């Protein structure tokens, strides 16, 4: 059967064009590359011969790129345009999407992301399915009150999981005291409330436009800026957001805290794994015991609840075996107490697993990442 999708590549970088061509070569029975050119003017010649179903367009200048998108769509309204750019700002993404692009890929283009983008176009199926894998895993990191390092763990776990090319989301659902933006030194234009206030138009494309990709790898959705915004967020909105995220990402890491009610229960219902994070102190263990019992009563059992001991000191007065006896849980992983390394990473806005990969903290979190995959 002849190819039934005509695809055009417009990209000034020859190596990038070759990468796209190599990625699509196994699908030659489905996709025909009608042109692979460096400039928009060269593309016009290819389009004159055969109308493309899909165009992969490099964006180097957002205003010019948006004009190109609008011009292409005015002449070929049925064509789907996927753009790629080194620029990861929300303004560029939104401008491209508003002009009519259906997907926005960061450069260098990752092969899996390109295949997923093409399949999302919805015009064809691949001879070799790219989405046979299960939906993404949601891993929540929780302690009811602050002070035990849930954000440190969530940020570094997300960065660890993103190192092997997996597509990872990091979401701050600690609605009233979230701190991911501070830990990663980001000040995004759009936050969680940008999603919840536009919940009616929520889809994969919209979610990607409001998320910020951090240099450490994860795509980040930060906490609401205002308390009033957090108050208005509902469990139903949380469930819907997480369901979309798990359809896009390999892993979704959620930082959460607060009462065992409402939005937190929605998070836990959606989670494949709940990393209950605590410390080896009497107050922390007492609180941990109360909440673990309450969570089990609500149906969150040991197959999903995993106990993490943060700031672990081997010679502390309270030992791991003591905590396990009191709590009735085996400790899933310990994170050593390396205060200076962690503070240094926070001050620099870079996860410790990236900044100081040889730190004992980094090694323990890398091991945890392997355990939750």
């Amino acid at each position: 059967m002849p190819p039934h999708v005509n695809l055009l590549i417009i990209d000034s970088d020859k190596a990038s064009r070759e990468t796209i061509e190599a990625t699509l070569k196994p699908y030659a029975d489905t996709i025909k590359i009608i042109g692979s050119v460096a400039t928009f003017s060269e593309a016009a010649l290819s389009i004159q011969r055969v109308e493309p179903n899909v165009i992969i367009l490099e964006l180097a200048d957002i205003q010019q790129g948006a004009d190109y998108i609008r011009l292409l769509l005015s002449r070929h309204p049925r064509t789907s345009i996927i753009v790629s750019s080194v620029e990861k700002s929300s303004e560029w993404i939104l401008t491209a999407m508003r002009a009519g692009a259906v997907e926005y890929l960061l450069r260098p283009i990752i092969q899996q992301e390109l295949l997923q983008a093409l399949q999302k176009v919805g015009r064809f199926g691949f001879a070799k399915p790219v989405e046979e894998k299960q939906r993404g895993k949601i891993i929540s990191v929780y302690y009811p009150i602050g002070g035990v390092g849930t954000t440190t763990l969530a940020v570094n776990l997300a960065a660890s999981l993103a190192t092997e090319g997996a597509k990872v989301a990091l979401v701050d659902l600690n609605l009233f005291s979230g701190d991911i933006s501070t830990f990663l030194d980001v000040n995004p234009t759009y936050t969680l409330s940008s999603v919840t206030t536009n919940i009616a138009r929520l889809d994969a494309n919209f979610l990607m436009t409001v998320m910020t990709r951090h240099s450490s790898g994860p795509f980040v959705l930060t906490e609401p800026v205002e308390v009033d915004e957090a108050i208005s967020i509902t469990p139903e909105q949380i469930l819907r957001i997480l369901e979309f995220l798990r359809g896009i990402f390999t892993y979704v890491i959620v930082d959460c805290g607060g009462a065992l009610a409402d939005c937190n229960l929605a998070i836990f219902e959606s989670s494949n794994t709940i990393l209950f994070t605590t410390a080896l102190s009497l107050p922390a263990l007492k609180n941990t015991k109360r909440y673990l019992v309450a969570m089990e009563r609500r149906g969150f059992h040991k197959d999903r609840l995993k106990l993490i001991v943060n700031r672990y000191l081997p010679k502390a007065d309270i030992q791991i075996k003591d905590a396990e006896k009191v709590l009735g849980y085996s400790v899933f992983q310990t994170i050593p107490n390396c205060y200076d390394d962690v503070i240094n990473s926070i001050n620099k806005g870079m996860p410790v697993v990236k900044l100081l990969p040889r730190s004992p903290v980094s090694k323990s979190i890398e091991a945890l990442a392997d355990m939750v995959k």
Side-chain angles (χ1 to χ4, degrees):
M1 182 169 58
H4 59 271
V5 171
N6 296 316
L7 183 142
L8 174 66
I9 304 166
I10 308 173
D11 194 315
S12 63
D13 181 35
K14 182 180 179 181
S16 178
R17 297 198 303 273
E18 290 174 348
T19 296
I20 296 171
E21 291 169 24
T23 299
L24 299 181
K25 189 174 181 180
Y27 309 101
D29 59 339
T30 304
I31 303 172
K32 179 180 180 180
I33 298 176
I34 63 169
S36 180
V37 299
T39 66
F40 190 78
S41 57
E42 290 178 90
L45 298 175
S46 298
I47 295 173
Q48 284 177 1
R49 293 193 297 269
V50 181
E51 182 170 14
N53 304 111
V54 180
I55 295 174
I56 301 176
L57 173 67
E58 175 199 11
L59 288 189
D61 178 289
I62 186 56
Q63 294 305 325
Q64 184 182 59
D67 289 342
Y68 284 161
I69 294 168
R70 283 189 283 266
L71 178 60
L72 286 167
L73 291 177
S74 68
R75 296 177 179 176
H76 311 280
R78 296 192 204 181
T79 298
S80 297
I81 299 177
I82 298 170
V83 300
S84 71
S85 177
V86 296
E87 179 56 58
K88 55 187 176 182
S89 74
S90 299
E91 289 80 3
W92 275 54
I93 297 171
L94 280 174
T95 299
M97 293 296 185
R98 286 167 179 161
V102 296
E103 286 288 334
Y104 189 106
L105 301 178
L106 289 178
R107 298 168 70 89
I109 296 174
I110 297 171
Q111 292 184 3
Q112 183 182 3
E113 292 183 359
L114 173 59
L115 293 176
Q116 288 174 341
L118 286 167
Q119 195 161 32
K120 286 176 189 175
V121 167
R123 296 183 183 276
F124 55 89
F126 288 109
K128 300 177 183 178
V130 299
E131 290 192 334
E132 288 182 348
K133 62 183 174 71
Q134 294 179 344
R135 295 183 305 158
K137 287 185 177 180
I138 297 178
I139 302 168
S140 52
V141 185
Y142 176 70
Y143 187 73
I145 59 176
V148 301
T150 59
T151 302
T152 296
L153 182 58
V155 164
N156 283 279
L157 179 60
S160 296
L161 289 168
T163 56
E164 297 180 3
K167 199 169 183 181
V168 179
L170 174 61
V171 186
D172 200 333
L173 292 181
N174 197 332
L175 299 180
F176 297 98
S177 55
D179 233 359
I180 282 178
S181 59
T182 302
F183 275 55
L184 292 178
D185 191 26
V186 294
N187 185 26
T189 304
Y190 306 98
T191 68
L192 178 66
S193 55
S194 305
V195 179
T196 56
T197 55
N198 290 278
I199 202 74
R201 59 175 291 203
L202 183 61
D203 59 20
N205 285 337
F206 178 70
L207 264 177
M208 293 305 293
T209 65
V210 299
M211 298 184 81
T212 302
R213 191 169 195 181
H214 192 259
S215 58
S216 62
F219 291 78
V220 182
L221 186 58
T222 58
E223 68 281 0
V225 176
E226 303 292 340
V227 171
D228 288 343
E229 294 175 347
I231 291 172
S232 65
I233 295 174
T234 68
E236 292 74 24
Q237 291 173 334
I238 295 298
L239 286 169
R240 189 171 180 192
I241 291 168
L242 291 177
E243 190 62 25
F244 269 106
L245 288 171
R246 80 186 322 154
I248 303 169
F249 293 92
T250 314
Y251 301 101
V252 180
I253 308 302
V254 180
D255 182 17
C256 53
L260 193 59
D262 301 327
C263 290
N264 279 330
L265 290 178
I267 295 166
F268 300 148
E269 288 289 349
S270 299
S271 297
N272 299 89
T273 303
I274 304 164
L275 300 180
F276 195 107
T277 309
T278 189
L280 293 183
S281 69
L282 288 176
L285 292 178
K286 180 181 178 182
N287 213 30
T288 298
K289 177 70 173 179
R290 294 171 58 230
Y291 274 82
L292 288 176
V293 169
M295 292 175 80
E296 285 203 16
R297 285 175 182 161
R298 286 165 172 78
F300 307 113
H301 300 303
K302 292 182 181 180
D303 59 332
R304 283 201 283 165
L305 271 170
K306 306 298 181 183
L307 187 63
I308 308 295
V309 171
N310 194 25
R311 299 173 188 157
Y312 172 61
L313 292 170
K315 296 182 179 180
D317 292 338
I318 302 175
Q319 296 292 299
I320 292 293
K321 62 181 181 180
D322 301 323
E324 291 179 333
K325 184 177 179 180
V326 169
L327 300 175
Y329 273 74
S330 297
V331 171
F332 190 64
Q333 177 68 316
T334 60
I335 312 296
N337 189 355
C338 298
Y339 179 82
D340 290 343
D341 289 351
V342 172
I343 290 299
N344 189 20
S345 75
I346 295 170
N347 289 340
K348 288 183 167 59
M350 182 60 62
V352 68
V353 295
K354 296 290 188 180
L355 184 67
L356 301 166
R358 295 183 180 180
S359 167
V361 172
S362 300
K363 292 179 179 178
S364 65
I365 295 177
E366 294 284 1
L368 176 61
D370 288 334
M371 295 162 72
V372 299
K373 288 178 181 176

